[in-house]
């Protein structure tokens, strides 16, 4: 009985008084309520709700929920911000990774996300990617775990202190172990591995090249930060003699198995190269505003056929993991871009609410290399979220409930199902008891920052 069902199918159909029927985690039927089977093991009555595909988050550093609003890092650009935070992150322990992953994923689940990637690239004191994976399994979201890395310390001309970088062989060995242990390539997979050296200024070219080879041998995706700030652009020109994209391409980082976080400082000819190669982008509007990084040319990417998903980015630069809010910011920031930087993003039309939602669903699925999620149609995973339209933020906006989700103040969801299993019901996370987690998280955050 959903008032509106946003399918995100090929024709972007929006159905009224509609629903879906799923079995064992897979959607079998989508249509008007009267056409659905008369009963089921579990029936959800979504009268007065909007039902949409679960949102997909394509860039995050979940551990950074521990360092939100750190006073010394509140008003700094990327490089100064990182230099303030590296020593704090270097004090993390495995239990900090576990608790922060739950907090970040809980926020994502409550804001409509059913699939998230994570990029963990700092491993002090016995921390492992396994810690994040175990927590993600507890929360119940579909998870793309990126084995990040840093190998270029300060003494070698990199940005991070030497104490937080790893030896290249140890990085590659651990990445191989993780792929063999966890990566599930099958349709409906709840867990995939990604190879993700951190950024041009924290990783050696050799490790970038070897990471690409390892990922391709294992059939997994490649992810890194690229073209985020002008500082990084200058670093790449001075150190490698190239702009960031040309540097990445030279190292084999080009193809439909590659997606970059940010892609802010990318010109028209580079957009065309990315489109030809099938490279995807995780657009992170809040982080780009927070760190004064710039405005990504999203409308130009879309016009050229580059896959663009949304990323909330780490919670030290957002400082929130609210994915619906991120879609709203994507729409609004693109319009600021039209006014202040028309030469950078020179498409005449405004990014619409529906396009923002499309980036948060289908766009994210394409960026992560998945055809089994991102829309509500037969044969796709039963990953869906629903919101009660009688909530306060939407009052007066129900002429167009789909647009209201993006234009109006972002709410949390009432329902979130991943592969047919409930993660949020009645607006509450059902998989983890949050109050003790929040208490432990605040204790850990205090210990790190004090
Ligand atoms: Zn990031």
């Amino acid at each position: 009985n959903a008032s509106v069902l946003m399918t995100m199918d090929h024709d972007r159909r929006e159905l009224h008084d509609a629903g879906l029927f799923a079995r064992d985690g897979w959607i079998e039927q989508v249509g008007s309520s009267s056409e659905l089977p008369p009963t089921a093991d579990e029936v959800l009555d979504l009268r007065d709700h909007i039902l949409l595909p679960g949102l997909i988050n394509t860039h995050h550093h979940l551990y950074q929920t521990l360092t939100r609003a750190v006073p010394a890092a509140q008003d700094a650009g990327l490089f100064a911000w990182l230099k303030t935070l590296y020593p704090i992150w270097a004090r993390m322990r495995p239990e900090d990774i576990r608790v922060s992953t739950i907090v970040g994923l809980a926020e994502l689940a409550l804001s409509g996300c059913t699939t998230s990637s994570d990029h963990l690239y700092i491993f002090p004191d016995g921390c492992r990617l396994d810690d994040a994976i175990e927590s993600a399994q507890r929360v119940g979201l579909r998870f793309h775990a990126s084995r990040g890395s840093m190998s270029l310390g300060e003494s070698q001309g990199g940005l991070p202190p030497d104490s937080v970088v790893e030896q290249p062989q140890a990085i590659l060995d651990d990445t191989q172990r993780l792929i063999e242990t966890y990566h599930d390539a099958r349709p409906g997979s709840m867990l995939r591995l990604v190879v993700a050296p951190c950024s041009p200024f924290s990783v050696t070219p050799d490790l970038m090249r070897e990471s690409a080879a390892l990922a391709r041998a294992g059939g997994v995706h490649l992810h890194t930060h690229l073209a985020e700030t002008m500082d990084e652009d200058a670093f790449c020109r001075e150190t490698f003699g190239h702009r960031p994209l040309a540097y990445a391409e030279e190292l084999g980082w080009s193809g439909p198995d590659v997606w970059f976080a940010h892609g802010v400082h990318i010109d028209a000819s580079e957009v065309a190269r990315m489109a030809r190669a099938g490279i995807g982008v995780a657009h992170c509007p809040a982080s780009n505003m927070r760190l004064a990084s710039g405005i990504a040319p999203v409308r130009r990417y879309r016009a050229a056929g580059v896959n663009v998903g949304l990323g909330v980015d780490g919670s030290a630069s957002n400082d929130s993991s609210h994915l619906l809010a991120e879609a709203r910011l994507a729409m609004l920031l693109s319009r600021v871009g039209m006014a202040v930087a028309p030469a950078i993003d020179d498409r005449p039309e405004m990014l619409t609410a529906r396009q923002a939602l499309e980036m948060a669903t289908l766009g994210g699925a394409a960026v992560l290399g998945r055809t089994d999620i991102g829309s509500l149609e037969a044969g796709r995973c039963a990953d869906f979220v629903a919101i009660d339209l009688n909530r306060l933020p939407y009052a007066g906006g129900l002429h167009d409930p789909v647009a209201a989700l993006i234009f109006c103040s972002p709410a949390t969801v009432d329902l979130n199902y991943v592969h047919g299993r409930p993660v949020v019901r009645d607006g509450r996370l059902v998989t983890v008891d949050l109050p003790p987690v929040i208490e432990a998280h605040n204790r850990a955050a205090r210990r790190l920052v004090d």
Side-chain angles (χ1 to χ4, degrees):
N1 296 323
S3 294
V4 184
L5 188 160
M6 180 82 185
T7 61
M8 283 294 168
D9 66 7
H10 179 267
D11 299 322
R12 309 291 187 269
R13 286 183 308 149
E14 296 172 13
L15 310 176
H16 298 270
D17 187 18
L20 61 84
F21 179 76
R23 195 196 308 263
D24 299 332
W26 295 91
I27 297 171
E28 293 188 354
Q29 196 180 335
V30 175
S32 66
S33 300
S34 58
E35 294 166 0
L36 296 177
T39 189
D41 296 336
E42 183 184 9
V43 177
L44 303 169
D45 185 351
L46 297 182
R47 203 175 304 270
D48 291 341
H49 286 61
I50 182 168
L51 175 63
L52 63 154
L55 309 184
I56 296 167
N57 180 42
T58 58
H59 187 63
H60 209 323
H61 314 284
L62 290 161
Y63 74 88
Q64 291 180 9
T65 55
L66 293 159
T67 50
R68 286 169 164 159
V70 169
Q74 284 174 14
D75 307 307
L78 179 68
F79 281 13
W81 173 88
L82 280 169
K83 279 176 162 296
T84 301
L85 291 168
Y86 284 136
I88 298 174
W89 296 336
R91 294 177 208 135
M92 283 194 301
R93 301 168 182 161
E95 62 266 30
D96 301 333
I97 302 289
R98 289 196 286 269
V99 77
S100 57
T101 300
I102 292 175
V103 163
L105 290 178
E107 270 192 292
L108 281 171
L110 288 163
S111 64
C113 174
T114 51
T115 297
S116 184
S117 61
D118 179 40
H119 186 188
L120 180 60
Y121 56 82
I122 185 164
F123 298 91
D125 205 8
C127 292
R128 302 184 311 157
L129 191 62
D130 311 61
D131 301 314
I133 289 170
E134 283 160 24
S135 287
Q137 288 169 334
R138 278 187 64 194
V139 177
L141 294 197
R142 221 177 275 286
F143 199 50
H144 285 224
S146 305
R147 204 309 182 175
S149 56
M150 297 194 289
S151 63
L152 186 66
E154 236 167 352
S155 66
Q156 305 300 311
L159 191 75
D162 289 4
S163 58
V164 299
V165 306
E166 297 176 88
Q167 291 303 314
Q169 197 54 53
I171 292 167
L172 294 167
D173 289 348
D174 190 48
T175 308
Q176 183 68 39
R177 173 189 71 82
L178 288 158
I179 294 170
E180 285 168 8
T181 308
Y182 294 110
H183 181 64
D184 178 0
R186 293 172 298 178
S189 166
M190 289 294 292
L191 178 58
R192 291 201 179 158
L193 258 287
V194 176
V195 181
C198 189
S199 62
F201 50 83
S202 61
V203 176
T204 59
D206 279 348
L207 183 62
M208 289 290 285
R209 204 178 282 114
E210 285 159 20
S211 294
L214 188 149
R216 282 166 182 149
V220 305
H221 268 49
L222 282 161
H223 181 47
T224 192
H225 295 93
L226 203 86
E228 179 175 1
T229 66
M230 287 309 290
D231 284 352
E232 179 204 323
D233 197 87
F235 178 93
C236 287
R237 287 169 195 263
E238 283 159 24
T239 313
F240 309 120
H242 290 302
R243 298 196 67 205
L245 180 64
Y247 168 67
E249 288 168 329
E250 185 185 61
L251 300 170
W253 280 66
S254 183
D257 55 350
V258 173
W259 92 97
F260 298 133
H262 304 298
V264 172
H265 300 283
I266 292 284
D267 67 25
S269 68
E270 292 170 326
V271 168
R273 280 183 356 240
M274 289 172 66
R276 271 197 302 278
I279 297 170
V281 176
H283 175 43
C284 308
S287 174
N288 296 160
M289 288 190 271
R290 187 354 174 137
L291 298 175
S293 303
I295 303 175
V298 170
R299 288 170 302 124
R300 187 183 266 169
Y301 278 137
R302 288 175 53 87
V306 174
N307 290 322
V308 185
L310 291 182
V312 297
D313 203 359
S315 286
S317 68
N318 186 320
D319 303 14
S320 149
S321 307
H322 199 301
L323 194 46
L324 204 50
E326 206 67 26
R328 182 173 192 251
L329 290 177
M331 180 184 77
L332 297 177
L333 183 60
S334 84
R335 297 173 182 206
V336 177
M338 294 175 78
V340 302
I344 292 171
D345 201 353
D346 52 4
R347 306 300 303 179
E349 69 282 2
M350 290 189 179
L351 193 73
T352 68
R354 283 172 172 78
Q355 288 169 342
L357 266 177
E358 189 180 293
M359 290 198 296
T361 52
L362 289 174
V367 163
L368 296 183
R370 298 194 71 137
T371 55
D372 54 348
I373 56 175
S375 63
L376 298 181
E377 49 191 320
R380 301 282 172 116
C381 297
D383 290 10
F384 55 86
V385 297
I387 300 179
D388 182 351
L389 290 168
N390 293 322
R391 282 168 170 256
L392 183 62
Y394 307 119
L398 299 183
H399 334 284
D400 186 350
V402 174
L405 282 189
I406 301 298
F407 274 95
C408 302
S409 181
T412 51
V413 299
D414 293 282
L415 202 79
N416 178 330
Y417 271 59
V418 179
H419 214 78
R421 292 182 288 265
V423 175
V424 174
R425 291 189 84 149
D426 301 323
R428 290 176 179 278
L429 195 73
V430 295
T431 48
V432 176
D433 182 26
L434 279 180
V437 173
I438 293 169
E439 197 188 323
H441 188 265
N442 280 328
R443 245 192 338 266
R446 266 197 305 277
R447 196 196 82 242
L448 289 177
V449 176
D450 291 351

